[in-house]
Every structure is written in C-alpha cells, then in structure tokens.
Amino acid sequence: QTHVQNIGWQNTVMDGALAGTTGRVLNVEAINMSLTGEMANQYDIYYRVHAQNYGWLGWAKNGQNAGTSGQNLHLEALQIVLVKKGQSAPGNNYGGIISKNTMAYIAR
C-alpha cells in the first residue's frame, strides 16, 4: 500500500500490481507491506525508507507505515529484509546503512 501526495493512502495491491501513480508527477510519501499465506507464517517482513529531508528512517514491519505524510516529500530508497519468525529484528546499522531516525513514520 502506498501513500501518494495529494491522494493519501491508496487501496492495497497484491502480487506485482502497481502501487503509486504513473505520469502524474506525484510523490510516493509512505508505504506499508505485509506477507501473505505461508510466508506470513514463517517470516516477518521488515522495511525502512530513505525519506527526502530526513534520511534513513527506522524499521517498520508487517503492515506498519514507513515514510512521511502531509509534507509533500518523496521516498528516495527502500530496504527490505525477511527475518524468520522468532529471530531478532535487523539493527539500526544493517547492510552498511545506518538509520539516524528511530521513527519509521512521520505524519504531519
């Protein structure tokens, strides 16, 4: 699911469908994602975003929001990690990327 500038949260999409807009010059400001089926039973999905003016934000997981809203800022990058259920979450310094902000979502 994506939060798009001037639109807000869009409907949930699945299995390779488009999330966001094309040809409208609107920022994707935030996302959330979840696994389904057997994958959801075995793994947690962690994701964090690099948001314009904020840098790397903290980790969100399993449907939590990541990014910003109401500020007309765009996402610049996304990191996704699958972690087996029961194992520790990725650290603030993961894969050579350091989150300077512990919050995953900043709403205006």
Side-chain angles (χ1 to χ4, degrees), residues 29-97:
E29 297 180 303
I31 62 161
N32 65 52
M33 57 182 72
S34 298
L35 298 172
T36 59
E38 189 57 32
M39 290 294 288
N41 294 331
Q42 294 184 37
Y43 295 93
D44 290 314
I45 184 168
Y46 285 86
Y47 44 95
R48 63 180 171 179
V49 301
H50 188 280
Q52 179 185 0
N53 295 346
Y54 286 100
W56 284 101
L57 300 181
W59 291 102
K61 84 173 205 184
N62 298 339
Q64 295 174 330
N65 296 335
T68 65
S69 64
Q71 301 177 56
N72 291 334
L73 302 176
H74 59 266
L75 301 185
E76 297 178 334
L78 169 66
Q79 185 178 34
I80 303 169
V81 178
L82 293 181
V83 175
K84 278 229 177 247
K85 293 277 187 187
Q87 291 186 352
S88 299
N92 228 19
N93 181 354
Y94 182 86
I97 298 170

Side-chain angles (χ1 to χ4, degrees), residues 1-14 17-22 24 26-34 47 49 63-70 73-75 78 105:
Q1 187 176 28
T2 55
H3 184 282
V4 177
Q5 172 188 358
N6 299 331
I7 295 174
W9 286 104
Q10 296 188 302
N11 293 332
T12 301
V13 298
M14 295 181 69
L18 174 72
T21 63
T22 58
R24 296 186 57 189
L26 297 173
N27 296 325
V28 171
E29 297 180 303
I31 62 161
N32 65 52
M33 57 182 72
S34 298
Y47 44 95
V49 301
Q64 295 174 330
N65 296 335
T68 65
S69 64
L73 302 176
H74 59 266
L75 301 185
L78 169 66
Y105 181 63

